[in-house]
Amino acid sequence: MTATTTAVLGLNCAHDAAACLVLDGTPVVAVAEERLSRVKHHEGFPQMALKYCLEAAGRTLEEIDCIVVNEYEQTDHALRLHRELADATLIVRNPSHHHLHATYAAAASGFTDAAVLIVDGSGYSYGEYLRNGSELLGPEPADWRMEEAESQFALIDGRLELVAKRWGLWEASDPYYRFPSLGHMFSVASQYIFGHMSHAGKTMGLAPYGDPDALGLEIVGYDGDTLTIDTEWILGLPPRSDRDAIDDQVSKDLAATVQRELERGMLFLADRIGSTTGSRQLCVAGGVALNSVANGMIARSGRFDDVFVTPAAGDSGVAVGAALLGHERVGGLPRRWAGFTDFLGRDHGSSSARAALSAAARSVTWSDLGAAAPHAAAEELAVGGVVAWFEGRSELGPRALGHRSILADPRGADLREQINRLVKFREPFRPYAAAILWPEAIGSFEPVTEDPFMLTVATLSASARDTVPAVCHVDGTCRIQSVDRSQSDGFAGVLRHFAERTGVPMILNTSFNVRGEPIVETPADAIRCFLASNIETLFLNGIRVSKHRILDSEDPAALIPTTALLETWRTIRRRGLAGWSESVAAVQTRTGHWVELHDLESATVTLIDGERTVLQIADQLGRPLSDVVAGFDRLQRGGLVVFEIAPEVAYPDVSERG
């Protein structure tokens, strides 16, 4: 440990677990545990993320001056760290959860003076904070069990001051968690519609399909300067039908209702904090700040000149706030984050990419294009290709900003449906965002606010809706990511080349993952995801990667199929339109979605062992090779099989592949 360097770790040990390392007041590396464990919304101690951050900075745990831990009240991760480090490191447990969100937002925004609004599901209890010596709690609430519902801060000369805080009590946990906050209102609706509270993004996407007045619900009210939120509305809904959300009218109307109520609540809170502080600059953080529709409304309301939303607005960002607050606790001043970025992951570099390619040498072919990769990717996009783009450091937040992205031509009328069904394997109603070249794309929106973090929704102009249907939602809107023309990374190069090639200054940009999986982190993750989806080409740190597709192969009979994401194979009952049911074979992938199999495909899957060729499987089935190849094509398009070439054909070393 050098005398001039202060090292602080921030750990979020709840849902969306994450770690962040701050050196001398500046975050240098941060990652969500899910990116490493491959478990969506990973919950608990971020062991892998902690190791990742330390290794990236060349530190050991004993060289850390302070660790700030955010954890559930019933866990003891901070205590275990304290015992392990034997007082050598200051351990701070559970400062105010909303204070952590606000610390991240204030530092990242670059503002010296601003209003800071924190809205999420809930923080922790007043009693827990009091026990841990937390600051900025405000007046004692009526009950020490009360938890944070939303908080308002003022950033004054770089320091946070509390303006107002609303506390609430939990009312139930079964069958629905009920808490009087905007975040929990939305989460409970998501649980009703999709079966789990984590699907808020799906609920936001479903909302334009429903009628917000159909259910007659008014959930959010106002008492002077304070929100009031009813929690009993969920108990009056009919039992959830077994229809898909897009086919269930109650689900669509509920999504529309809670989206409208959340928008009203957020606009109310933004107006109140603006009036109270007099500030023309606003920071927004907390899980509700991921609602890009509401963010767009605030940005266009005229109440503020500048609105900054933290890209890691959910609880993974709490780790950043924790590390920044820890820096203050060990004597550092609050810092404005010079050169703020969401690219806080490690750069895995060309050697890691080549090692991953060598490990997959029987399944892929590749060529190193170097600086020509952006132009090549743009050319493929312009003719309708779907490509994955991987470069540099990964994003901390949940929006892929071009370093871990799947890209497509926004002009393709059927591309949204194709990507939902064959690439991401997700619900057909879900929309896609657009990366837009700034400022060229301004005229495509009515109006548009610059947003490099893909956290606001704008309305497409009438002409643009016809031009870029793949990124136009059913209500004529589009979530945007502004990309400055002068930006130097390869992703911006793809966008520039695409605009020059097509005259359209935007591309469809979605996260590099499939349904149920976190965004890829490493080159090996990228190759696995690429192989098990219908992404056509992978650009991996400037290397163009292709896979063996059975219909494109010169010798499909010699290919060796292996299973990709298969987790479970069983017979399921499917109900027909008249109420009758039939048994069908189906496989479930490890990402959670079911794929029905035809009889031939079902028999084919049972013979895949990683050694038999397509021809050998056809012979064993006693079926024509053409039928088996067609069946394998359907399995590959479903993301269920990967094809390898025979071992004697594979190249043993990456150097032989160019």
Side-chain angles (χ1 to χ4, degrees):
M1 196 68 177
T2 65
T4 58
T5 303
T6 299
V8 180
L9 271 170
L11 303 179
N12 176 41
C13 304
H15 66 82
D16 297 296
C20 174
L21 178 63
V22 162
L23 297 180
D24 280 345
T26 300
V28 295
V29 60
V31 69
E33 186 78 358
E34 68 169 28
R35 301 289 182 94
L36 310 174
S37 70
R38 312 307 301 156
V39 176
K40 192 77 171 169
H41 301 297
H42 189 115
E43 186 170 328
F45 189 79
Q47 186 66 52
M48 287 183 283
L50 170 61
K51 180 181 178 183
Y52 176 106
C53 290
L54 291 173
E55 289 180 349
R59 302 270 172 163
T60 66
L61 196 59
E62 290 72 20
E63 293 177 299
I64 302 300
D65 296 292
C66 175
I67 304 175
V68 180
V69 178
N70 176 79
E71 61 176 322
Y72 295 133
E73 294 184 35
Q74 65 269 27
T75 59
D76 61 359
H77 302 299
L79 177 62
R80 284 187 286 171
L81 281 168
H82 181 76
R83 289 175 174 172
E84 178 180 345
L85 294 169
D87 297 326
T89 302
L90 174 64
I91 309 294
V92 179
R93 181 180 190 268
N94 278 357
S96 158
H97 185 80
H98 286 188
H99 189 187
L100 298 180
H101 275 304
T103 300
Y104 168 34
S109 70
F111 300 150
T112 302
D113 298 276
V116 183
L117 177 61
I118 310 301
V119 189
D120 61 5
S122 71
Y124 301 148
S125 72
Y126 180 81
E128 169 70 6
Y129 294 148
L130 200 64
R131 183 164 68 94
N132 289 294
S134 298
E135 302 171 336
L136 302 182
L137 299 180
E140 180 181 323
D143 190 314
W144 279 20
R145 296 172 299 169
M146 283 184 156
E147 298 186 2
E148 291 168 306
E150 73 259 346
S151 298
Q152 301 176 31
F153 298 88
L155 181 65
I156 301 173
D157 292 331
R159 291 188 177 274
L160 287 168
E161 295 183 5
L162 184 67
V163 173
K165 187 182 293 285
R166 188 172 66 84
W167 302 85
L169 274 174
W170 287 95
E171 297 183 17
S173 60
D174 186 24
Y176 295 101
Y177 284 97
R178 303 208 319 270
F179 183 79
S181 73
L182 290 174
H184 263 285
M185 172 196 70
F186 214 80
S187 294
V188 167
S190 302
Q191 182 183 354
Y192 175 90
I193 298 169
F194 297 108
H196 198 280
M197 298 176 73
S198 65
H199 295 311
K202 295 184 185 181
T203 300
M204 181 174 62
L206 183 65
Y209 293 89
D211 178 357
D213 297 315
L215 299 177
L217 296 175
E218 291 188 5
I219 302 169
V220 177
Y222 312 97
D223 181 9
D225 291 337
T226 304
L227 282 181
T228 62
I229 299 177
D230 175 38
T231 60
E232 297 184 4
W233 59 270
I234 186 68
L235 304 178
L237 293 180
R240 174 70 166 89
S241 77
D242 60 1
R243 293 186 291 270
D244 291 339
I246 193 63
D247 299 319
D248 180 56
Q249 194 61 49
V250 173
S251 292
K252 291 186 287 187
D253 292 340
L254 178 58
T257 298
V258 294
Q259 178 64 37
R260 178 195 63 188
E261 296 293 282
L262 183 138
E263 292 164 7
R264 289 177 174 176
M266 289 296 287
L267 287 168
F268 173 86
L269 291 171
D271 181 69
R272 291 301 182 270
I273 194 173
S275 297
T276 303
T277 63
S279 178
R280 298 292 298 175
Q281 295 178 310
L282 175 68
C283 301
V284 188
V288 173
L290 293 174
N291 192 292
S292 48
V293 178
N295 293 340
M297 289 183 169
I298 294 172
R300 294 188 298 273
S301 68
R303 189 67 185 78
F304 299 93
D305 297 327
D306 296 293
V307 176
F308 173 81
V309 183
T310 53
D315 279 8
S316 62
V318 165
V320 182
L324 288 166
L325 188 62
H327 172 73
E328 295 182 32
R329 291 288 179 91
V330 293
L333 294 174
R335 293 289 297 271
R336 293 178 66 190
W337 189 343
F340 169 72
T341 178
D342 191 46
F343 297 118
L344 290 170
R346 297 171 64 177
D347 186 340
H348 294 277
S350 59
S351 60
S352 178
R354 291 182 177 277
L357 289 167
S358 291
R362 290 175 57 189
S363 300
V364 297
T365 59
W366 64 89
S367 59
D368 193 342
L369 301 183
H375 183 270
E379 288 295 315
E380 294 195 33
L381 293 173
V383 295
V386 177
V387 308
W389 185 265
F390 181 110
E391 69 171 304
R393 303 181 69 177
S394 58
E395 305 90 337
L396 174 63
R399 308 288 192 234
L401 303 176
H403 286 193
R404 304 289 188 276
S405 289
I406 297 171
L407 310 176
D409 186 343
R411 301 172 299 169
D414 61 348
L415 264 178
R416 188 181 84 170
E417 187 275 337
Q418 177 186 333
I419 297 172
N420 272 332
R421 182 169 57 90
L422 295 176
V423 177
K424 302 277 281 190
F425 307 116
R426 67 183 199 175
E427 296 85 353
F429 62 84
R430 297 179 67 181
Y432 286 103
I436 64 174
L437 199 61
W438 193 266
E440 283 88 330
I442 290 177
S444 300
F445 298 89
E446 301 171 338
V448 65
T449 302
E450 187 173 9
D451 176 12
F453 304 118
M454 201 188 286
L455 286 164
T456 57
V457 163
T459 300
L460 283 159
S461 66
S463 59
R465 296 179 196 187
D466 294 332
T467 304
V468 290
V471 295
C472 181
H473 201 19
V474 66
D475 59 355
T477 63
C478 174
R479 189 170 74 231
I480 64 162
Q481 173 201 359
S482 57
V483 179
D484 193 291
R485 168 171 274 280
S486 64
Q487 195 169 302
S488 62
D489 61 358
F491 174 64
V494 175
L495 193 50
R496 288 193 297 270
H497 285 300
F498 184 81
E500 292 163 4
R501 170 75 160 76
T502 67
V504 177
M506 66 181 80
I507 53 178
L508 183 153
N509 177 16
T510 187
S511 54
F512 191 174
N513 63 336
V514 296
R515 176 183 178 181
E517 282 201 326
I519 299 174
V520 302
E521 169 63 27
T522 67
D525 295 336
I527 292 171
R528 282 193 294 268
C529 186
F530 167 62
L531 290 173
S533 71
N534 282 279
I535 301 168
E536 294 167 10
T537 310
L538 166 63
F539 287 85
L540 181 64
N541 286 343
I543 301 171
R544 184 185 184 278
V545 186
S546 300
K547 59 189 165 190
H548 304 300
R549 301 195 69 94
I550 192 164
L551 289 190
D552 298 334
S553 173
E554 294 181 0
D555 187 10
L559 293 176
I560 299 172
T562 62
T563 57
L565 299 177
L566 273 63
E567 182 77 11
T568 305
W569 179 41
R570 71 180 187 187
T571 300
I572 63 174
R573 302 291 290 179
R574 181 178 62 186
R575 188 165 65 182
L577 295 176
W580 52 266
S581 64
E582 62 177 343
S583 297
V584 295
V587 291
Q588 185 183 35
T589 73
R590 62 185 172 87
T591 63
H593 72 285
W594 287 94
V595 180
E596 294 182 11
L597 301 179
H598 298 160
D599 290 343
L600 175 58
E601 295 162 6
S602 179
T604 300
V605 167
T606 64
L607 296 177
I608 295 175
D609 61 1
E611 297 181 0
R612 293 186 180 98
T613 65
V614 171
L615 179 60
Q616 290 170 330
I617 290 174
D619 289 343
Q620 192 153 349
L621 290 170
R623 299 291 295 270
L625 177 63
S626 59
D627 289 352
V628 175
V629 168
F632 268 124
D633 173 55
R634 289 191 294 270
L635 290 170
Q636 185 171 31
R637 284 188 287 113
L640 302 177
V641 296
V642 171
F643 290 100
E644 298 179 348
I645 56 176
E648 62 271 15
V649 181
Y651 292 91
D653 187 86
V654 67
S655 62
E656 299 185 33
R657 306 296 291 277

